Amino acid sequence: MDTVSPVKSLTRRISTIVAGAAGTVVLAGCAQNAPQDTWQPKGDNAQMISALDKIVFPIAGIVGVLVSVFAGYIFWRFRDKGQAIPAQSHGKPIVEIVLTIVPALILTVVGVFTWRTIMDLAETQDTEMIINVTGQQWWWEYDYPAQADQGITQPIITSGQLVIPEDTNVLLRETSRDVIHSFWIPALNGKKDAVPGRIHLLRMQADQPGIYAGQCTEFCGLSHANMRMEAIALSKEDFAKWVANQQKPYTAPAEGTLAKEGEGVFINQCVRCHQVNGIKDANGKAIISAPDENVYSGAAPNLTTLMTRNTFAGAMFDMVNQKCRADVWDAKTEEFGAKYLKGVTEECLNEKTLRAWLRNAPAMKPMYADPAKLEKTNGLYRGMPNLGLTEDDIDKLVAYLLTLK
Amino acid sequence: MITPGSKYFLGLTGLGLVSAVLYCFLVNPSDLGAYALFGLFISAALIAGFSIFTRDGDVATAAEAVEANTEATAPSFWPIIFALGGALTLLGVATNEIVFVLGLSVLVGGAVEWVIDDWAEKASADSEFNAFVRHRAIGAFDYPGIAAVVLGFIAFLFSRIMLTVSKDEASIIFIVVSAVIFAAGFVLAAKPALRGKTTAIISVVGALVLLVAGVASALSGERKELVKYAKEDVYSVANRGCGKEEGKYYDHEANGSVSLRSGVIATVFVEDGKIRAQEIGIKKDVETITIPRSNSTSILFRNLDAEEYRLVATLGKVKVGTTDVMEEVGTCTQLTGKNEEQVLTVTIPKPSSPEEPFKLTVPGATGEIKVVVP
């Protein structure tokens, strides 16, 4: 009976695993439902990068294959078989000249196309709209300065979902409040670091309405992987409706309702960090949150129109349930705006996750929220702490939050 | 075999450990004394280990130690450097990171040199050959290493002198020193015969002058303005004159040398006595600038007029103490001359009120720019 040596058996097993893993990676490249695929550009800027890729990748691929094959051949052909060392000679001018000129030419071609794309992507003269994008652990804030051309008469502040009008050259002015983050919506442009104390510019333009997913791409701490974002492109008419809704004054819940009680819980517990524009205390005085006194980054998401967003907690969780989410994500282009602008209804609310978040946020998302370990930040939280809310409080809060539309 | 020397260090190790534990319990575990005693314990344990391993240097009892080298080895100072590095590292852990990094560098450098020394001494029975292989192995790193340490000392001593003398004196020192270096270089180039001795004399005299001047400067402390900078909060409103007067504690030469272009959200100009602003990404002049809440934001001020102006940011009002009196909160740049620029960096923790936004003004010029913090 033939026996296989243990070494051969192990080698065969490792080869199978490596081949399987490589095959999986190759097959993953064929995925169609890949919202963060850089090869599916949905805007002019991403298209520029994709066009550059189509030039650079084949050249790099051919060079890579040629070099690998040639090196492999040399290793195999001249392997040590106990032969005598051949006569040694120094250089061959013609080979050296060719091997200098050819790479130089290739790099020149790649360099010219790359330089042109970089310059085009840095262009800001055609800007039609600006948005300030501020990163902090572990969510993105978007504030829209007043811009009469876009119907924005007073600043708008939101988070998690960046809403832009379709086919409009938007200029993002990126910065950070704590550590370096990186903003990346692959379908709309390349990535750009958000650095504290600096303002970096990133063009953004979407060809058609839809949701475009993104991800922070600079390691920024414990929940870096959970720092997501979505860009929402709306038709110009729908964007105007969104703007109007964001700018409308605050309406307090009716007296005697559960939501009104929830407003009280919000004022007692949440307003320390979270701002709701227009909310007032019992004396009718406007309440201003103080995240700078409680959070390391000095900011917490503004919740004035929380239920117009489909995500929360740095876009980590869906605010709507699976059915409603699919309804918006899979909507036809012409229906997308209306479905998105519906916001979060009582039927669509992902109540289970929202309640779990309110019950114990650090259990849902890794954050530096243990009061006993905050000496380094002088007692300030990185992320949302466990507020110790009762189930009764959570009932009231959910009812109140649902009114923030 | 545990030799008498090893026993001594083992005893010291035990004493160090017991003392450190008692200190932690009786005094304070985070006190410098605890670090020192633990340092003693670790150092003694290390030496005891070496002593046991080398049988207290009694090579006659170590058959393997006489494999190749029958000559007595030359005394080495690297163990002392290594021990100094260890002490500095421990001291650095307890004091500050510069000492720690310095100690770690000395520790690693000393260890590498010591190991190479040890290896070279056993390379053969020929001490000349051993010296040669040692040089081949590490000679290329010795001089740059020594040069880095010497340059570090020179830079440190020179910086002490520069922090002590006034700006005018510093200019004179630079002129004199560069003239001396130039003259010495000229003389040495013209008279090659002088090189050896003269270079040595100049180096020794220069080093002594630098050492004495550096130590004297460090002892006499930094010049007055720098001490003021350190003691006074120049950013507090109380210390800032935001009117037409000249401020005292600013580097006036900073004008015209701003290099923060990529961190500036907006530029405010004064031109023909009027104020106007441009925001990044907006092609036309703006009347309102929007800046993020709780984030440091820089605004560039550029004066295009002949008269000196400063930019003043008014950031709302706060109550004075427990009274009902409201006082304006603000900050400003230094007076800025024609075609000069300065950056005003502000961090505003509260949103602006829609009825009364924050504002940027320039005393003496007309107009204002609203600042909105959402």
Side-chain angles (χ1 to χ4, degrees):
Chain A
M1 188 176 122
D2 289 342
T3 55
V4 179
S5 80
V7 174
K8 276 190 179 172
S9 167
L10 181 64
T11 309
R12 198 173 295 166
R13 193 170 292 178
I14 290 172
S15 304
T16 310
I17 292 170
V18 170
T24 307
V25 170
V26 170
L27 285 175
C30 303
Q32 288 301 309
N33 183 20
Q36 291 181 210
D37 183 0
T38 51
W39 296 93
Q40 296 180 41
K42 302 289 185 197
D44 291 347
N45 304 296
Q47 191 63 53
M48 280 188 239
I49 296 172
S50 183
L52 179 66
D53 286 349
K54 282 173 185 158
I55 296 166
V56 174
F57 272 43
I59 294 175
I62 291 167
V63 170
V65 169
L66 282 178
V67 169
S68 304
V69 168
F70 189 65
Y73 169 74
I74 297 290
F75 291 145
W76 179 80
R77 174 75 179 77
F78 299 104
R79 68 191 184 280
D80 182 12
K81 291 178 285 192
Q83 71 274 42
I85 295 174
Q88 303 293 297
S89 63
H90 176 71
K92 206 161 200 177
I94 186 68
V95 174
E96 288 179 11
I97 290 168
V98 169
L99 289 181
T100 304
I101 291 176
V102 171
L105 285 175
I106 292 172
L107 286 177
T108 305
V109 171
V110 169
V112 166
F113 284 106
T114 306
W115 182 253
R116 198 180 68 178
T117 305
I118 289 172
M119 289 296 104
D120 288 346
L121 286 171
E123 179 59 62
T124 59
Q125 287 301 308
D126 54 359
T127 299
E128 295 168 271
M129 180 180 173
I130 54 170
I131 302 173
N132 294 326
V133 175
T134 309
Q136 49 268 297
Q137 290 169 327
W138 291 273
W139 58 283
W140 293 95
E141 179 182 271
Y142 309 109
D143 78 73
Y144 300 63
Q147 293 158 86
D149 299 350
Q150 300 295 335
I152 304 173
T153 52
Q154 0 163 344
I156 294 170
I157 185 162
T158 181
S159 61
Q161 290 185 319
L162 171 74
V163 181
I164 58 174
E166 67 166 331
D167 207 19
T168 300
N169 292 325
V170 178
L171 187 69
L172 305 185
R173 304 193 300 197
E174 291 179 24
T175 187
S176 164
R177 287 193 172 99
D178 40 35
V179 299
I180 299 177
H181 304 277
S182 191
F183 191 85
W184 192 32
I185 306 282
L188 300 185
N189 201 343
K191 59 185 79 168
K192 182 79 83 173
D193 280 4
V195 181
R198 299 179 73 89
I199 294 164
H200 292 168
L201 305 177
L202 181 68
R203 292 159 60 93
M204 195 74 34
Q205 181 268 350
D207 290 337
Q208 59 185 34
I211 301 182
Y212 305 99
Q215 164 74 47
C216 176
T217 51
E218 178 71 38
F219 180 71
C220 57
L222 209 53
S223 251
H224 161 66
N226 300 318
M227 189 173 171
R228 300 173 195 164
M229 58 278 219
E230 287 174 357
I232 312 293
L234 296 172
S235 68
K236 291 189 177 169
E237 298 74 36
D238 286 336
F239 182 75
K241 288 179 195 165
W242 180 83
V243 167
N245 186 60
Q246 297 290 316
Q247 296 188 137
K248 77 175 194 295
Y250 173 74
T251 310
E255 291 293 339
T257 60
L258 192 65
K260 187 65 184 173
E261 291 181 47
E263 187 191 49
V265 176
F266 188 89
I267 291 170
N268 285 333
Q269 294 282 352
C270 315
V271 91
R272 273 180 291 167
C273 299
H274 293 287
Q275 182 70 42
V276 166
N277 300 344
I279 193 170
K280 291 179 177 164
D281 63 16
N283 301 321
K285 192 182 167 197
I287 300 174
I288 303 295
S289 64
D292 51 300
E293 294 169 13
N294 299 289
V295 188
Y296 182 73
S297 67
N302 185 306
L303 303 182
T304 306
T305 52
L306 173 68
M307 291 295 162
T308 63
R309 310 167 201 160
N310 288 353
T311 61
F312 69 101
M316 182 181 176
F317 301 111
D318 288 312
M319 188 68 95
V320 291
N321 57 39
Q322 283 296 312
K323 183 175 166 295
C324 294
R325 181 183 187 279
D327 195 35
V328 177
W329 270 81
D330 301 338
K332 289 178 186 162
T333 304
E334 58 276 15
E335 294 172 355
F336 172 77
K339 289 191 172 178
Y340 179 74
L341 290 175
K342 259 187 5 188
V344 183
T345 59
E346 203 169 342
E347 301 74 49
C348 281
L349 179 68
N350 180 7
E351 193 173 342
K352 190 180 169 192
T353 310
L354 180 61
R355 291 181 71 94
W357 176 260
L358 295 172
R359 197 173 291 123
N360 186 1
M364 301 280 287
K365 182 175 182 176
M367 295 182 282
Y368 302 102
D370 181 350
K373 295 179 182 170
L374 298 176
E375 300 94 345
K376 285 185 180 175
T377 55
N378 203 20
L380 301 175
Y381 294 100
R382 289 174 188 257
M384 182 162 151
N386 181 350
L387 297 172
L389 297 172
T390 63
E391 291 303 312
D392 194 34
D393 285 341
I394 293 172
D395 288 343
K396 293 171 185 169
L397 258 183
V398 170
Y400 172 64
L401 294 177
L402 262 171
T403 68
L404 299 176
K405 284 178 81 172
Chain B
M1 184 181 116
I2 298 177
T3 57
S6 309
K7 286 176 190 167
Y8 167 73
F9 282 112
L10 280 175
L12 192 60
T13 305
L15 182 68
L17 180 62
V18 171
S19 309
V21 172
L22 282 176
Y23 194 93
C24 285
F25 277 111
L26 300 176
V27 186
N28 183 1
S30 58
D31 199 89
L32 189 61
Y35 288 107
L37 288 171
F38 273 114
L40 174 69
F41 159 63
I42 293 167
S43 309
L46 191 69
I47 298 171
F50 279 125
S51 184
I52 293 168
F53 184 72
T54 61
R55 292 163 181 79
D56 211 6
D58 183 6
V59 291
T61 61
E64 68 274 23
V66 290
E67 277 173 2
N69 197 351
T70 55
E71 289 190 24
T73 56
S76 171
F77 54 85
W78 292 117
I80 299 168
I81 303 279
F82 180 74
L84 177 70
L88 282 175
T89 306
L90 284 168
L91 194 65
V93 169
T95 54
N96 75 60
E97 60 189 50
I98 295 172
V99 178
F100 175 75
V101 172
L102 182 70
L104 204 59
S105 309
V106 173
L107 190 75
V108 172
V112 170
E113 293 278 1
W114 190 5
V115 167
I116 296 291
D117 254 5
D118 184 57
W119 165 78
E121 280 165 1
K122 292 174 184 167
S124 75
D126 181 354
S127 57
E128 271 185 33
F129 176 76
N130 293 351
F132 170 72
V133 294
R134 186 198 181 285
H135 181 71
R136 285 293 295 271
I138 205 163
F141 298 102
D142 280 351
Y143 288 114
I146 292 166
V149 172
V150 171
L151 286 175
F153 266 113
I154 291 174
F156 179 74
L157 292 169
F158 200 66
S159 67
R160 295 309 94 190
I161 298 169
M162 289 297 110
L163 288 171
T164 302
V165 299
S166 70
K167 287 182 181 179
D168 293 338
E169 288 164 347
S171 305
I172 293 167
I173 288 173
F174 267 103
I175 292 167
V176 170
V177 170
S178 54
V180 168
I181 292 171
F182 179 74
F186 184 79
V187 170
L188 292 176
K191 301 271 183 193
L194 289 176
R195 274 182 200 170
K197 207 178 257 180
T198 313
T199 310
I201 292 169
I202 290 174
S203 301
V204 169
V205 171
L208 280 175
V209 168
L210 188 64
L211 186 67
V212 171
V215 171
S217 302
L219 290 175
S220 76
E222 296 175 357
R223 63 177 178 266
K224 252 193 261 176
E225 307 94 276
L226 294 176
V227 176
K228 274 190 187 237
Y229 279 140
K231 283 184 181 168
E232 294 186 8
D233 178 8
V234 294
Y235 294 105
S236 80
V237 177
N239 287 330
R240 284 207 154 202
C242 287
K244 291 286 283 176
E245 77 286 359
E246 187 74 15
K248 281 189 291 185
Y249 304 134
Y250 299 92
D251 184 356
H252 297 190
E253 301 306 317
N255 289 347
S257 61
V258 173
S259 58
L260 293 168
R261 296 291 194 274
S262 63
V264 169
I265 201 161
T267 304
V268 176
F269 300 87
V270 168
E271 192 169 17
D272 301 330
K274 289 179 192 162
I275 180 172
R276 64 184 175 86
Q278 286 179 352
E279 225 182 319
I280 294 178
I282 299 178
K283 285 168 280 185
K284 54 192 178 188
D285 286 355
V286 295
E287 292 173 353
T288 304
I289 296 171
T290 305
I291 62 177
R293 180 180 177 181
S294 294
N295 203 10
S296 101
T297 304
S298 296
I299 298 161
L300 187 68
F301 174 55
R302 185 175 294 157
N303 179 14
L304 302 176
D305 279 359
E307 198 178 336
E308 286 190 323
Y309 289 109
R310 78 169 89 239
L311 182 67
V312 178
T314 308
L315 307 172
K317 291 177 179 173
V318 291
K319 277 187 180 177
V320 178
T322 52
T323 68
D324 286 335
V325 179
M326 300 296 280
E327 183 188 56
E328 278 198 336
V329 179
T331 182
C332 61
T333 66
Q334 179 54 278
L335 281 175
T336 305
K338 186 177 182 182
N339 292 329
E340 292 178 342
E341 52 192 24
Q342 286 206 2
V343 162
L344 187 66
T345 301
V346 292
T347 303
I348 307 173
K350 305 290 178 202
S352 55
S353 141
E355 298 80 32
E356 199 179 345
F358 305 137
K359 62 185 179 186
L360 296 171
T361 53
V362 173
T366 56
E368 67 174 35
I369 306 295
K370 288 177 190 158
V371 176
V372 173
V373 182

